């Protein structure tokens, strides 16, 4: 179904699980701060809504989306985290820079997850324009930060189970 038809952050139809006792790092890009700040708010709210204590959420700010990779790697050097949430926003410009950054960030985040055998969640918006980013960071299409938090909870619980 097209995202233009609904809020994508509705979790009423799934069992998220209890995040009590889980510890999360949220690595967030400072670039496009209007968007990433809203994503961060959504992620924190989503974690707390499902039982995570504020003291079990560590926010790590990095300059841009490319640096999310290093930020996640640095966070997972500490064994205390059950999952890492990476939040960023890359908006299409006039050059191919967008393609290179999006590809590198996606692959880099996946590689960090494999390296540490821990959930590292891709909460990076890759949009054509600012309006689309705002729609997905608390606007009419929900908040991808909250979606990333729900994913992190589910994956952390899955990781504990197996």
């Amino acid at each position: 179904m097209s995202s233009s038809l609904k809020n994508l952050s509705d979790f009423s139809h799934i069992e998220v699980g209890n995040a009590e006792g889980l510890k999360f790092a949220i690595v967030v890009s400072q670039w496009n701060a209007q968007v990433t700040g809203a994503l961060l708010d959504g992620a924190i709210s989503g974690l707390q809504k499902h039982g995570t204590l504020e003291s079990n959420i560590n926010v790590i700010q990095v300059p841009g989306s490319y640096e999310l990779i290093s930020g996640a790697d640095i966070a997972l050097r500490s064994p205390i985290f059950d999952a890492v949430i990476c939040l960023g926003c890359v908006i299409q410009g006039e050059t191919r820079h967008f393609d290179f950054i999006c590809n590198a960030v996606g692959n880099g985040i996946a590689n960090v997850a494999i390296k540490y055998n821990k959930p590292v969640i891709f909460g990076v918006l890759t949009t054509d324009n600012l309006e689309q980013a705002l729609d997905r960071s608390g606007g009419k299409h929900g908040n991808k930060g909250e979606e990333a938090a729900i994913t992190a909870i589910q994956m952390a619980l899955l990781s504990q189970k197996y």
Side-chain angles (χ1 to χ4, degrees), residues 99-112:
D99 299 318
F100 294 121
I101 295 299
C102 294
N103 186 39
V105 173
N107 287 325
I109 288 172
N111 286 332
V112 172

Side-chain angles (χ1 to χ4, degrees), residues 1 11 18-20 25 27 29 31 43 63 66 76 79 88 90 104-105 111-112 127 133 135 141-142 145-146 151 153:
M1 178 175 279
F11 304 103
N18 186 346
E20 186 179 343
V27 184
S29 167
W31 192 259
Y66 187 80
L76 286 174
V90 185
V105 173
N111 286 332
V112 172
T127 62
D135 286 346
H141 294 308
E146 182 180 5
T151 301
I153 293 167

Side-chain angles (χ1 to χ4, degrees), residues 52-65:
T52 305
L53 297 175
E54 184 178 346
S55 61
N56 286 340
I57 302 170
N58 291 282
V59 176
I60 301 166
Q61 294 196 12
V62 296
S65 289

Side-chain angles (χ1 to χ4, degrees), residues 66-135:
Y66 187 80
E67 291 77 25
L68 293 170
I69 302 162
S70 295
D73 187 83
I74 291 165
L76 286 174
R77 290 178 193 167
S78 169
I80 66 167
F81 296 113
D82 295 293
V84 174
I85 301 166
C86 295
L87 301 174
C89 177
V90 185
I91 299 173
Q92 176 68 59
E94 296 178 5
T95 69
R96 294 182 51 210
H97 183 258
F98 173 87
D99 299 318
F100 294 121
I101 295 299
C102 294
N103 186 39
V105 173
N107 287 325
I109 288 172
N111 286 332
V112 172
I114 292 166
K115 176 180 176 181
Y116 290 97
N117 195 29
K118 293 263 186 151
V120 182
I121 310 307
F122 184 87
V124 180
L125 298 179
T126 57
T127 62
D128 291 329
N129 54 55
L130 179 60
E131 180 183 358
Q132 288 176 346
L134 294 172
D135 286 346

